[in-house]
Amino acid sequence: MEAKAKVRYLRVTPQKARRVVDLIRGQQATEALAVLKFAEQSASDPVYKLVASGIANARQTADKLGESFEEDELVITQAFVDEGPTMRRFRPRAQGRAGRIDKRTSHITVVLASGDDIPADRKGNR
């Protein structure tokens, strides 16, 4: 069984979000939640909520299919960050000029799978 969770237009730069997502890729979902809870980066809070949402999505999918659900068997098989649209703002600078401020956004996707559904090429990457 596979479950997916996405967050879009998150007001965190993709570079900072990738640092957090790299911490949890390939880990068990419960371990990933523990790592994110104590990570000091500001992006760890929304990624924590995203992984928790993925676990809830997996529980819903298992209930709908009538399968047994074990939260400890879920593994993060894929986790990636894409760049969202950039909001451009302008600040006044010296001598009548304007400086551009880029406020970047991210799209983060997490895919969870139970232990028996993990592809063979992903099993060695834990």
Side-chain angles (χ1 to χ4, degrees):
M1 174 190 48
E2 190 173 272
K4 187 184 287 190
K6 292 183 184 180
V7 62
R8 300 190 65 199
Y9 306 106
L10 182 66
R11 271 288 292 122
V12 173
T13 66
Q15 184 175 4
K16 292 177 183 176
R18 283 186 190 108
R19 284 182 25 197
V20 173
V21 168
D22 289 343
L23 291 173
I24 63 166
R25 189 178 294 117
Q27 288 189 349
Q28 286 185 329
T30 53
E31 290 177 13
L33 289 177
V35 167
L36 290 170
K37 188 173 201 106
F38 296 105
E40 296 199 13
Q41 293 89 349
S42 63
S44 62
D45 292 335
V47 175
Y48 180 93
K49 285 179 69 173
L50 183 65
V51 173
S53 174
I55 293 170
N57 291 345
R59 183 177 287 116
Q60 287 289 93
T61 304
D63 288 346
K64 187 169 26 171
L65 296 175
E67 298 177 359
S68 64
F69 177 75
E70 288 292 329
E71 192 171 307
D72 296 333
E73 293 179 5
L74 287 177
V75 176
I76 299 174
T77 56
Q78 291 180 342
F80 52 91
V81 179
D82 295 324
E83 191 168 339
T86 301
M87 296 186 291
R88 295 198 166 86
R89 302 293 183 256
F90 294 92
R91 302 268 310 178
R93 306 303 291 173
Q95 298 182 1
R97 293 186 177 93
R100 188 170 82 183
I101 308 286
D102 288 340
K103 296 183 179 262
R104 301 182 187 276
T105 61
S106 302
H107 301 319
I108 305 175
T109 305
V110 173
V111 179
L112 299 130
S114 59
D116 52 338
D117 291 340
I118 300 171
D121 61 336
R122 301 250 184 230
K123 282 189 179 182
N125 295 342
R126 284 191 193 180

